[in-house]
Amino acid sequence: MVLPLSQLVQQLNHKKADFLNYDTALAQVRQDYQQALGTWQQKTLPDITAAMDPQITDWGACPIEPWPQGWRIPLGVEWPHRQAAREWARTQLMDVTTVAVDGSQILPSEELSLPVAVVQAGWFLNPHRGNGSYAKEIALELITPAELRQAEAQLRQPQIYRFHERYVHLRRFELELKTLQERMAEVAAPALLLFDGSFVATFAESYAPEWQARYVAALCQTLETSLKRRIPLVAYIDSSQARDLVTLLGHLANLPPSPHLSDAQLLNTVLTQWGDRSPVFVCDRGGILGSYGSWAKGIGFCYLKAHHGYPVRLELPLWIYREGLLDPVIRWLCGELITGQGYPYALEAADQLAVLQGSDRQAFLKQLQVWAESVGMELHFSRKWVSKQQRR
């Protein structure tokens, strides 16, 4: 059944006022925060630090990097044409090993009587040696019914609804970070590792403590590996909804909270040229960061104009900034963006490698069926799935 477009247009016209009223209200809030941004970005880092009331424990962001004039730090290079940009990117990345990891999963299916799942992480490594060599591989983990039962006993959850789905997502997350740690143990500087996601697991705050602990442990171990190995690691968030700078400006300018305004929207009028970035701030969001131990104040972030859309958010362990590696890391990342035409090439390659399609899911179920028959194990598939296989 196709989407009935005529009904959709009818509904849009009928509810037009809802959209217009929402846009008008958000525009007023954005204007207030934009004025606050214009004021405070012209002040110095010590000015802002002095204005931060120590009684407030959740500032969202704390400035750490001085800025010359406003919250815009340009890349400082321009090119007459795309070929010149590509040559610049090649020069920046020469002999720099870039690595990216991404993951995917096959969830337990109602088509099969036995609960079983698969998670995998694909990694792409490019040493940029000039000979075109690179490496890519997939790490796969099968999650058995016994593992799912054990998880049900160990991980408390008020409602069992969607437990398996949530657990599989946790295992995928852990596998991606484990794979990053393994690659960091193998590469040597200069190198840059990229993670598609955030180092601040705010999404897990609604989970039970046992679940939160698993996410936090995986993240902190990865950050610690980066520190010990002195291998730069950057989390790349293309469509960030984070509000850390919005929170900071709200406190500084005594503005009401704005849950619908993001940092990226706010900085879009400041970071106007490709390669512009904001200063680095310490993430001071509170919440789950309180369980990060020594990393509770050890994660920094900035925003980068990477394409025609809103600026992207970059998160990084603060040792990168403190040891003077931020500028080369930004140049390497910009080289990846040029090569990938607006998205880091290594992350794009890892995503293409890791993604599991519907055809992969069908292949998995068929292989599981063949294996079960070979070991004398009886599996029960839904009549719908069997019918589909007979028609193909």
Side-chain angles (χ1 to χ4, degrees):
M1 181 72 70
V2 297
L3 180 69
L5 294 180
S6 60
Q7 291 187 43
L8 175 61
V9 172
Q10 184 181 28
Q11 288 284 309
L12 286 169
N13 289 328
H14 179 66
K15 300 183 178 182
K16 178 176 65 175
D18 290 351
F19 288 94
L20 295 177
N21 291 338
Y22 175 85
D23 189 59
T24 300
L26 184 59
Q28 181 58 55
V29 171
R30 186 185 294 116
Q31 181 179 346
D32 293 341
Y33 273 86
Q34 208 74 56
Q35 290 177 349
L37 172 62
T39 298
W40 287 96
Q41 71 168 331
Q42 297 305 321
K43 297 184 181 295
T44 66
L45 189 154
D47 290 337
I48 293 183
T49 302
M52 296 176 71
D53 185 348
Q55 298 297 321
I56 298 177
T57 58
D58 176 11
W59 278 92
C62 295
I64 188 175
E65 180 184 17
W67 48 89
Q69 184 179 0
W71 288 356
R72 173 181 177 263
I73 301 176
L75 182 62
V77 292
E78 295 182 2
W79 310 278
H81 45 73
R82 176 156 182 80
Q83 185 55 41
R86 292 181 65 87
E87 179 59 27
W88 179 87
R90 188 191 67 81
T91 302
Q92 297 301 312
L93 290 170
M94 182 61 67
D95 295 327
V96 176
T97 300
T98 56
V99 182
V101 174
D102 203 358
S104 189
Q105 70 282 315
I106 296 176
L107 297 169
S109 171
E110 295 180 354
E111 296 169 343
L112 178 62
S113 60
L114 197 66
V116 60
V118 169
V119 294
Q120 69 178 31
W123 57 268
F124 176 83
L125 182 152
N126 190 343
H128 294 102
R129 297 287 186 265
N131 57 7
S133 64
Y134 60 86
K136 59 181 181 179
E137 191 57 78
I138 289 176
L140 180 145
E141 290 184 358
L142 179 70
I143 303 176
T144 67
E147 290 177 282
L148 290 169
R149 283 198 303 270
Q150 184 180 32
E152 290 174 10
Q154 293 177 343
L155 294 172
R156 180 169 56 88
Q157 181 170 312
Q159 296 178 342
I160 199 65
Y161 174 66
R162 298 183 72 177
F163 177 92
H164 288 174
E165 180 180 342
R166 180 177 290 186
Y167 179 67
V168 171
H169 284 298
L170 169 62
R171 287 285 297 271
R172 166 187 166 175
F173 188 85
E174 291 176 326
L175 180 60
E176 288 182 34
L177 292 175
K178 175 186 173 184
T179 304
L180 273 173
Q181 293 173 46
E182 291 171 347
R183 301 290 79 73
M184 276 190 281
E186 296 172 353
V187 301
L192 172 63
L193 274 77
L194 297 173
F195 174 61
D196 184 12
S198 174
F199 293 145
V200 187
T202 303
F203 64 88
E205 288 182 347
S206 62
Y207 297 175
E210 294 87 346
W211 291 82
Q212 292 185 27
R214 291 276 291 266
Y215 280 105
V216 170
L219 286 162
C220 289
Q221 288 167 9
T222 307
L223 293 167
E224 195 66 29
T225 302
S226 171
L227 173 63
K228 289 180 178 178
R229 292 281 301 156
R230 290 301 193 272
I231 300 295
L233 171 68
V234 172
Y236 187 93
I237 306 104
D238 187 77
S239 299
S240 173
Q241 298 301 310
R243 304 176 53 259
D244 299 321
L245 294 177
V246 171
T247 301
L248 171 64
L249 291 169
H251 286 312
L252 290 172
N254 294 315
L255 292 172
S258 174
H260 303 295
L261 181 63
S262 70
D263 295 347
Q265 290 174 310
L266 198 60
L267 289 176
N268 197 45
T269 59
V270 175
L271 309 179
T272 56
Q273 301 298 313
W274 189 92
D276 287 353
R277 71 169 177 89
S278 73
V280 172
F281 295 81
V282 179
C283 189
D284 188 28
R285 195 180 298 172
I288 200 170
L289 278 174
S291 61
Y292 274 52
S294 62
W295 289 101
K297 303 286 187 180
I299 299 172
F301 70 90
C302 66
Y303 286 83
L304 174 72
K305 186 67 172 178
H307 45 61
H308 293 300
Y310 288 140
V312 303
R313 180 181 173 100
L314 309 179
E315 295 178 356
L316 59 147
L318 281 174
W319 73 263
I320 294 174
Y321 168 72
R322 289 171 176 150
E323 297 191 12
L325 290 176
L326 181 61
D327 285 344
V329 163
I330 292 295
R331 291 197 302 271
W332 298 340
L333 180 56
C334 286
E336 282 283 319
L337 288 165
I338 291 172
T339 306
Q341 301 186 54
Y343 190 77
Y345 179 79
L347 275 176
E348 182 181 2
D351 172 74
Q352 292 178 354
L353 183 66
V355 66
L356 287 163
Q357 308 282 0
S359 57
D360 296 306
R361 182 170 169 275
Q362 295 301 320
F364 165 68
L365 292 175
K366 285 185 178 181
Q367 185 60 53
L368 187 62
Q369 183 182 38
V370 171
W371 175 83
E373 291 174 353
S374 71
V375 299
M377 180 179 177
E378 185 176 1
L379 291 181
H380 296 280
F381 291 88
S382 72
R383 184 60 206 172
K384 180 179 179 180
W385 185 83
V386 174
S387 177
K388 283 183 179 180
Q389 304 315 304
Q390 291 174 342
R391 293 196 304 268
R392 293 172 179 170

